């Protein structure tokens, strides 16, 4: 295995298929250690800073637990309470944090921000989600596919929903890199950017994967190994968008009819959090305003035997641990 020491983890386009496979293999090993209670404090005494300009449950907890399992200390910087972006530039923040910490995680807005942090940081910077990409999520997703089927290459992964968002973009990239057949089911105005589609299609020429964009959900989900969806309005987007997104994406909801159109042993994946019922404050607001109890996925599919969403969520921690370990050791 090659060394990834000192590398930033900003987007999967920067990594070769072999490097991605290496991170997955390390994650699988770390998961075994965690489950058997075998200590793995390989980075004892090191320190990381994790910056969250947007909310998070899984990514924050994964970075914290992973770092602590590896023997490290963690400093959390939230949307308020630090000088970053308000009185201090990204470049200055990067140089200050890099002088104290061994690695920096960033979740927030434009990809250019995490890129700038990395440009000015002498220690690795990890992307914990930007408007454009969510690369740590992808490792957990393909790990879950691998655990289910024993292989990744050649599998058909279908994303239904806002295919231009961070998760849609990143799924297309990871599929291209690992030779999967990626289908995006969405209205044309929510198809991913042409430039990224073309980049991914070029990668597919090397890896044997393919990229298909369709507005026809029954055509697109046919024979799928995995169906994937995400929220219809992402963090940082205005609440006013809900009305138009509901109109555009309601036909792309993953319900049992759609799930049954995939292979009989197909799995359902979702990065979470998910609006599969009205048990949240936003879920209730949407129900009151638009009369919709469930959105991108029905509760029936979410809770069905096809669903691997909680296995996928657990894998966030093991894969993030692999990223920290491989870029620092
Ligand atoms: N999937 C994901 O990134 O979840 P959080 O927003 O809770 O981190
Ligand atoms: N597309 C979602 C992903 C959340 C993990 C968002 O950016 O809000």
């Amino acid at each position: 295995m090659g060394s990834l020491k000192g590398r930033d983890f900003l987007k999967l386009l920067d990594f070769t298929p072999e490097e991605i496979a290496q991170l997955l293999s390390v994650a699988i090993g770390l998961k075994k250690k965690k489950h058997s209670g075998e200590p793995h404090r390989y980075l004892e005494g090191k320190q990381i800073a994790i910056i969250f300009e947007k909310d998070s449950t899984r990514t924050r907890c994964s970075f914290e637990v992973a770092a602590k399992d590896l023997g490290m200390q963690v400093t959390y910087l939230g949307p308020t309470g630090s000088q970053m972006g308000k009185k201090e530039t990204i470049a200055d923040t990067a140089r200050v944090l890099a002088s104290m910490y061994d690695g920096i995680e960033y979740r927030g807005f434009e990809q250019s921000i995490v890129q700038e942090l990395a440009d000015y940081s002498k220690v690795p910077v990890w992307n914990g989600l930007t408007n454009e990409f969510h690369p740590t999520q992808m490792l957990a997703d393909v790990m879950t596919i691998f655990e289910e089927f024993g292989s990744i290459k050649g599998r058909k992964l279908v994303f239904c929903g806002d295919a231009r968002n961070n998760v849609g973009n990143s799924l297309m990239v990871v599929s291209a890199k690992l030779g999967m057949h990626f289908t995006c089911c969405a209205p044309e105005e929510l198809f991913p950017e042409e430039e990224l589609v073309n980049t991914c299609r070029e990668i597919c020429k090397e890896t044997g994967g393919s990229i298909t964009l369709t507005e026809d959900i029954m055509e697109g989900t046919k024979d799928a190994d995995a169906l994937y969806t995400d929220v219809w309005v992402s963090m940082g987007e205005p609440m006013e968008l809900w009305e138009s997104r509901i109109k555009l994406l309601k036909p792309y909801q993953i319900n049992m009819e759609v799930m049954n159109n995939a292979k009989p042993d197909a799995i359902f994946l979702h990065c979470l959090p998910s609006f599969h019922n009205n048990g949240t404050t936003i879920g209730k607001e949407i129900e009151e305003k638009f009369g919709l109890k469930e959105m991108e996925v029905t509760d029936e599919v979410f809770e069905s035997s096809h669903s691997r969403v909680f296995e996928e969520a657990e894998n966030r921690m093991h894969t993030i641990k692999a990223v920290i370990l491989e870029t620092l050791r």
Side-chain angles (χ1 to χ4, degrees):
M1 289 204 290
S3 172
L4 298 176
K5 190 177 166 76
R7 291 275 294 277
D8 298 311
F9 190 78
L10 305 183
K11 57 186 190 306
L12 285 182
L13 285 170
D14 303 335
F15 288 79
T16 65
E18 293 72 27
E19 288 168 340
I20 297 169
Q22 174 177 335
L23 289 167
L24 288 174
S25 141
V26 170
I28 289 165
L30 288 167
K31 183 171 181 175
K32 280 197 193 113
K33 286 191 166 57
K34 177 76 176 180
H35 283 191
S36 65
E38 190 184 325
H40 42 282
R41 299 173 69 84
Y42 303 130
L43 297 173
E44 189 88 54
K46 290 195 188 282
Q47 309 259 353
I48 66 169
I50 57 172
I51 304 168
F52 282 84
E53 297 198 308
K54 289 177 179 168
D55 292 342
S56 171
T57 298
R58 277 146 293 275
T59 311
R60 175 182 176 179
C61 296
S62 294
F63 269 95
E64 293 218 14
V65 172
K68 288 171 190 171
D69 281 352
L70 290 168
M72 310 171 86
Q73 311 273 351
V74 183
T75 303
Y76 169 78
L77 298 172
T80 60
S82 89
Q83 311 281 17
M84 178 168 154
K86 297 179 279 282
K87 278 170 73 181
E88 191 155 38
T89 63
I90 306 300
D92 292 354
T93 306
R95 286 173 285 185
V96 171
L97 293 180
S99 73
M100 300 178 192
Y101 293 93
D102 299 287
I104 303 166
E105 179 275 353
Y106 172 83
R107 163 173 289 201
F109 297 90
E110 289 80 25
Q111 184 73 14
S112 58
I113 301 176
V114 78
Q115 182 64 59
E116 191 176 356
L117 265 178
D119 290 344
Y120 283 90
S121 161
K122 62 177 195 262
V123 301
V125 171
W126 308 297
N127 178 359
L129 178 148
T130 57
N131 293 345
E132 291 89 343
F133 293 112
H134 196 5
T136 61
Q137 177 72 50
M138 296 306 113
L139 296 178
D141 299 344
V142 290
M143 179 168 168
T144 310
I145 290 173
F146 180 76
E147 287 175 335
E148 185 69 27
F149 301 113
S151 65
I152 296 170
K153 196 178 165 72
R155 294 282 159 195
K156 178 173 175 181
L157 170 64
V158 181
F159 179 79
C160 301
D162 175 14
R164 298 163 321 154
N165 79 13
N166 38 27
V167 170
N169 285 341
S170 305
L171 285 171
M172 185 166 67
V173 173
V174 79
S175 297
K177 288 276 177 182
L178 300 185
M180 284 192 282
H181 301 296
F182 177 75
T183 299
C184 135
C185 295
E188 201 173 333
E189 59 190 288
L190 296 179
F191 279 0
E193 299 278 343
E194 204 181 327
E195 198 184 333
L196 187 62
V197 174
N198 290 339
T199 303
C200 290
R201 286 194 168 136
E202 277 305 308
I203 298 169
C204 285
K205 287 183 187 161
E206 301 289 314
T207 63
S210 64
I211 309 293
T212 306
L213 312 179
T214 177
E215 289 196 304
D216 185 336
I217 185 165
M218 294 317 265
E219 180 62 37
T221 52
K222 211 168 174 316
D223 296 328
D225 293 295
L227 298 187
Y228 198 122
T229 187
D230 184 15
V231 290
W232 290 342
V233 176
S234 286
M235 290 184 282
E237 292 191 308
M239 284 299 283
E240 295 74 57
L241 265 184
W242 272 111
E243 189 170 1
S244 59
R245 286 289 168 79
I246 287 173
K247 278 204 189 95
L248 280 170
L249 289 172
K250 179 76 190 13
Y252 296 91
Q253 179 190 62
I254 299 187
N255 52 37
M256 253 323 160
E257 191 195 348
V258 173
M259 194 72 235
N260 288 336
N261 191 45
K263 282 188 183 159
D265 65 345
I267 58 170
F268 170 72
L269 297 172
H270 191 309
C271 53
L272 306 184
S274 156
F275 293 115
H276 58 94
N277 61 26
N278 61 357
T280 62
T281 47
I282 296 182
K284 280 196 182 69
E285 258 176 61
I286 301 286
E287 189 186 11
E288 275 160 29
K289 253 181 142 165
F290 305 105
L292 214 64
K293 237 193 171 117
E294 32 193 24
M295 286 186 261
E296 70 275 9
V297 56
T298 58
D299 201 47
E300 190 185 9
V301 169
F302 188 91
E303 299 291 356
S304 74
S305 60
H306 294 286
S307 183
R308 295 290 177 277
V309 296
F310 296 111
E311 289 82 353
E312 183 185 5
E314 180 193 330
N315 285 339
R316 297 297 310 287
M317 199 281 285
H318 306 299
T319 45
I320 281 174
K321 193 184 282 177
V323 171
I324 297 175
L325 182 59
E326 289 302 283
T327 55
L328 294 188
R329 74 165 159 195

